[in-house]
Amino acid sequence: MRRIIFAATAALLAHASPLLAQEHGGEESGGLLSLNPGLSVWTLIIFLIVLAVLYRAAYPKILAAVEAREAHVRELTESAERDRAEAAALVEEHRKLVEDTRAQVQKALGEATGTAEARRAEILQQAQRERDEMLARARADVGAERASMLEQVRRDSVDLAIRAAERLVRKNLDGDDNRRLVQDYLAQLGGTPAARA
């Protein structure tokens, strides 16, 4: 790099010395637009030397830097494209996962509702059975109690009938005979509709 700067400075000094000589030489210049063949030739030579030096020393480095920059930009662009494609794939996967989860939740809710309805029906049936069983037991208990009460009423009525008969007849019959007579009488009464009422 130092050689390039040194060569460019030397070329400028070489180019500047004819100009200085021309100014101090006493010749009149023709103005800004006048064409001086010597100056034009030296300017062209210096330009070609500077161009050759730049072409050999600076341009390869500049081109390498530009190409490296282009490669880096291309790599970043490709990386961004890959990242964008991955992000789109992840978004699609996430959307599918959400849809699958939503479908599973709906399915689970449907199954839970069906299970709850089945359980509700089962509980209602069990309650109905228990109610029917309780009613049957209550009816059986009421029937047994009624039979017991009727039996007790019969016994009491037999005893009352015997006492009443004793007072009427004033004769004490045998207790077993009395009972048998009254039970026969009550049995006869049990067959008639009035006795059942």
Side-chain angles (χ1 to χ4, degrees), residues 130-151:
E130 288 176 2
R131 183 185 65 106
D132 292 343
E133 289 173 4
M134 286 175 61
L135 283 173
R137 277 195 307 262
R139 285 181 184 145
D141 290 346
V142 166
E145 188 67 27
R146 182 175 175 218
S148 172
M149 293 289 265
L150 286 174
E151 185 62 32

Side-chain angles (χ1 to χ4, degrees), residues 143-161 163 179 182-183 186:
E145 188 67 27
R146 182 175 175 218
S148 172
M149 293 289 265
L150 286 174
E151 185 62 32
Q152 184 65 35
V153 166
R154 283 183 186 166
R155 280 190 210 131
D156 290 345
S157 64
V158 166
D159 288 341
L160 283 173
R163 283 185 201 149
R179 281 193 190 351
V182 172
Q183 285 177 350
L186 286 177

Side-chain angles (χ1 to χ4, degrees), residues 63-82:
L63 287 175
V66 168
E67 287 174 357
R69 179 72 178 154
E70 282 181 9
H72 182 67
V73 167
R74 191 178 314 115
E75 182 181 317
L76 287 176
T77 304
E78 290 171 358
S79 175
E81 287 294 324
R82 281 193 308 270

Side-chain angles (χ1 to χ4, degrees), residues 35-168:
L35 186 59
N36 186 346
L39 184 61
S40 296
V41 170
W42 277 109
T43 303
L44 183 61
I45 291 172
I46 290 173
F47 175 74
L48 291 174
I49 291 172
V50 169
L51 185 64
V53 168
L54 288 175
Y55 184 74
R56 294 244 183 219
Y59 285 158
K61 291 181 181 176
I62 292 172
L63 287 175
V66 168
E67 287 174 357
R69 179 72 178 154
E70 282 181 9
H72 182 67
V73 167
R74 191 178 314 115
E75 182 181 317
L76 287 176
T77 304
E78 290 171 358
S79 175
E81 287 294 324
R82 281 193 308 270
D83 291 346
R84 187 174 53 157
E86 286 178 14
L90 286 174
V91 165
E92 182 64 24
E93 183 180 337
H94 178 70
R95 186 187 62 77
K96 286 181 182 177
L97 184 63
V98 166
E99 287 177 1
D100 289 345
T101 303
R102 185 175 292 136
Q104 289 174 355
V105 166
Q106 291 297 327
K107 181 180 176 184
L109 283 175
E111 289 175 358
T113 302
T115 303
E117 287 296 322
R119 183 69 180 140
R120 179 179 167 269
E122 181 181 327
I123 288 172
L124 286 174
Q125 287 176 352
Q126 184 178 0
Q128 183 72 25
R129 279 194 307 270
E130 288 176 2
R131 183 185 65 106
D132 292 343
E133 289 173 4
M134 286 175 61
L135 283 173
R137 277 195 307 262
R139 285 181 184 145
D141 290 346
V142 166
E145 188 67 27
R146 182 175 175 218
S148 172
M149 293 289 265
L150 286 174
E151 185 62 32
Q152 184 65 35
V153 166
R154 283 183 186 166
R155 280 190 210 131
D156 290 345
S157 64
V158 166
D159 288 341
L160 283 173
I162 290 173
R163 283 185 201 149
E166 270 182 28
R167 284 187 185 168
L168 286 174

